[in-house]
Amino acid sequence: MMLRQILSKLPRKSSKTDSAESARPESPVTQQISNCSSAGLGKSSNGPKRTSVVFPASVVAGIEPLVPFKDVPNAEKMNLFVSKVSLCCVTFDFSDSSKNTLEKDVKRQTLLELVDFVAAGSMRFSEPAILAMCRMCAVNLFRVFPPNYRSNSSSIGENDENDDPMFDPAWPHLQIVYDLLLRFINSTCLDAKVAKKYIDHSFILRLLDLFDTEDPRERECLKTILHRVYGKFMVHRPFIRKSLSNIFYRFVFETEKHNGIAELLEIFGSIISGFAMPLKEEHKIFLWRVLIPLHKPKSVGVYFQQLSYCVIQFIEKEPRLASMVMKGILKYWPITNSQKEVMFLGELEEILEAISMVEFQKIMVPLFWRIGCCINSFHFQTHDVETNAKLHKVFSELALITNCYVAERALFLWNNDQIVNLIAHNRLVILPIIFPALEKNADNHWNQGVLNLTLNIRKMFSDMDEALYLACLDQFKEDEEKQSLLAEQRKEAWQRLEHAASLKPVTGNTAVLVTPLATSIAC
């Protein structure tokens, strides 16, 4: 009887702990807080252990996770590290700042303590510690973004008020986890041969998925971490390049929706700089099948700087690729988007600064035909729509300004000495192509800046080779006379047809000729 009374006063093990804690994920942290407050940090090891759900018995050697690192001997520090990392596997809802405030603060302090421990680099990480660390990062970081969290990047020039990035309310917490992961990967105490078993292909794919977050702060952290993973784990490099290619393929040819293309291209830019010479066929295929088609999407302005850097890196590595790159850019040249056109002209100038004479001669005919179109830039003409005169005037002025911007950027190419040198050596081919565009601008362009640039370039060609210039001028005048004659003949033919149609009587469903005068409507 006395034995029963003694046993009844002893604390009993709860058989329902697992089910209760699975219903409330934050309860293990709450239990740790209550244990800590009742027993004290220094005596916590003497109290009952109620952390079996959070800390697997096979990993944790019974170490209370809230004990500071300085209070345990060196032999136990790695076990304490595993316990603290496992404690941080409990996640919370950060959308409501009033919930679990004490537990969130305990987890935050624990994460900061782990950051300091990893930064100190005092001990080599054991395999259980690497496993626990990767698992904790996976639990906290890897998540699926809700559908309304993803948005299609707006095309260049769109000022959508709803296009502002969404910031994750859990970022103050996530930032510490990212900092911890970065320091962990950078640590000299991490054995890459052991860690590669846990930072594996699956881990890397989930990491890449996070680049679609709308929070630019998170993408910046991910960019740094992925770059360090690529540098430390050489065995994963081909897989990372292949996975990046797949993301780009899906973006270009399927969705055109992804928030992290700029950051991924920035990573790849640093990867390209480390390519050995001569370039492998795999890398050339990436240039042609990935980087060149990335010029196509409407949202190219979001990542154009990084894309252009990658392309230039390839050309600097292997100058023979310049003509192929320019051919691809001309293939995806924008027809109705003047802002993209201006960016493409800037990229062409960078390529022309690095191109060799042989490669330039391969591409100069289609290139300067396109530049001639840009100098005139007729693609922003306004259409005849039923609108009031004031609105029509606004559209016309906007079109003329945009038209002028493209023409001006194209003419600025002649301010580059390297490009002028290439043109001078190939003037017999280039001047006849570009001359009609220059003459049309000189005759009737409304913008004084474009007009002055045109006259300067025309004088440059005249001083360069006066005989060729005069021959092109005579040819231009002859072509203009032919065009005028053809236009007059076409007009006379239509007049004859209209006259013949007007003499026929109208019967049944016969089409009736309506003169332009009859269709004019007074506004």
Side-chain angles (χ1 to χ4, degrees), residues 422-467:
L422 292 169
I423 293 171
H425 281 83
N426 299 276
R427 59 186 180 275
L428 295 176
V429 176
I430 293 173
L431 185 55
I433 297 172
I434 211 76
F435 193 86
L438 295 173
E439 283 300 308
K440 289 174 184 176
N441 269 13
D443 289 344
N444 55 24
H445 204 285
W446 64 274
N447 184 275
Q448 191 61 42
V450 172
L451 183 60
N452 290 339
L453 286 170
T454 303
L455 295 176
N456 289 339
I457 293 171
R458 201 168 63 163
K459 185 177 184 302
M460 184 187 300
F461 277 117
S462 178
D463 296 341
M464 195 181 295
D465 193 332
E466 187 175 2

Side-chain angles (χ1 to χ4, degrees), residues 506-520:
V506 179
T507 57
N509 295 326
T510 305
V512 178
L513 177 68
V514 181
T515 62
L517 184 62
T519 60
S520 60

Side-chain angles (χ1 to χ4, degrees), residues 269-297:
S270 61
I271 292 174
I272 294 168
S273 63
F275 285 166
M277 294 297 298
L279 290 175
K280 296 179 181 178
E281 193 64 25
E282 166 203 346
H283 305 325
K284 296 178 184 178
I285 290 173
F286 177 83
L287 170 65
W288 181 249
R289 294 185 181 176
V290 175
L291 294 184
I292 299 301
L294 275 170
H295 289 78
K296 180 183 177 183

Side-chain angles (χ1 to χ4, degrees), residues 21 42 62-63 102 119 147 184 287 308 336 346 359 362 430 445 447 457 517 520:
E21 288 178 339
I63 301 295
L102 187 59
F184 182 72
L287 170 65
S308 182
T336 59
E359 295 300 314
K362 293 178 182 178
I430 293 173
H445 204 285
N447 184 275
I457 293 171
L517 184 62
S520 60

Side-chain angles (χ1 to χ4, degrees), residues 74 77 117-124 189:
N74 289 337
K77 282 186 177 180
F117 178 78
V118 173
S122 57
M123 299 184 67
R124 196 164 190 82
C189 298

Side-chain angles (χ1 to χ4, degrees), residues 472-489:
C472 290
L473 181 60
D474 293 339
Q475 184 64 43
F476 175 75
K477 291 179 179 178
E478 184 180 337
D479 292 340
E480 286 291 297
E481 290 176 1
K482 289 180 180 179
Q483 290 294 329
S484 299
L485 181 61
L486 288 173
E488 189 65 30
Q489 290 174 352

